[in-house]
Amino acid sequence: MSATVDIPQSIKDSLRKFRFARRNEGSAALVIKINKAKLIMEEVEQFDSISIEELAEELPENSPRYVVLSYELEHKDGRKSFPLVLINWAPVSSEIGLLTLHASALLNFQNTADVSKVIEVRDGPEGLTKEVIDTKLLH
């Protein structure tokens, strides 16, 4: 059974607003979940100026989420940039049906969010740290 998950206009509007927000310090995140019963994406929460460790603690231990992250990245030469990153939060303890649905909708969401870099996190808060993100973005 191939179910498609709808991305409502409200989510597209939130994504657009989030993408174009001016940031000069800290990381911000937009958290999206799939409502399995309605096959629709829903905004869970937005965080402004949140550390990666705090964000990891906010995410559920056994339910997948898409997290669009505006990340404060410090380059080796001292410059700062704020790349948009999509964190595919998919803890292995999640219900299989939901994980499958989440995985099947990922590409569509990634394209809608217009984010090229995806970081997979399957092992919960330990897998979502500043070091992990720096490593993925700087190499």
Side-chain angles (χ1 to χ4, degrees), residues 61-80:
E61 281 179 34
N62 47 18
S63 188
R65 297 285 187 265
Y66 303 119
V67 182
V68 181
L69 179 68
S70 171
Y71 182 67
E72 181 178 346
L73 182 64
E74 203 145 318
H75 298 267
K76 289 183 177 35
D77 62 6
R79 287 177 306 119
K80 279 184 184 178

Side-chain angles (χ1 to χ4, degrees), residues 69-135:
L69 179 68
S70 171
Y71 182 67
E72 181 178 346
L73 182 64
E74 203 145 318
H75 298 267
K76 289 183 177 35
D77 62 6
R79 287 177 306 119
K80 279 184 184 178
S81 65
F82 293 86
L84 274 189
V85 184
L86 174 56
I87 296 173
N88 183 22
W89 178 264
V92 287
S93 57
S94 303
E95 178 205 328
I96 286 298
L98 199 51
L99 273 178
T100 307
L101 194 58
H102 183 83
S104 70
L106 176 64
L107 194 59
N108 186 19
F109 182 75
Q110 182 185 348
N111 291 337
T112 302
D114 195 18
V115 178
S116 56
K117 192 84 176 163
V118 178
I119 298 176
E120 297 277 336
V121 179
R122 298 199 175 284
D123 41 8
E126 306 79 64
L128 182 56
T129 63
K130 185 171 173 19
E131 290 72 32
V132 168
I133 294 177
D134 283 345
T135 302

Side-chain angles (χ1 to χ4, degrees), residues 8-19 30 43:
Q9 189 59 47
S10 60
I11 296 284
K12 293 176 183 173
D13 292 344
S14 284
L15 284 166
R16 188 173 307 110
K17 202 154 68 184
F18 185 81
R19 165 181 276 296
L30 172 62
E43 183 175 325

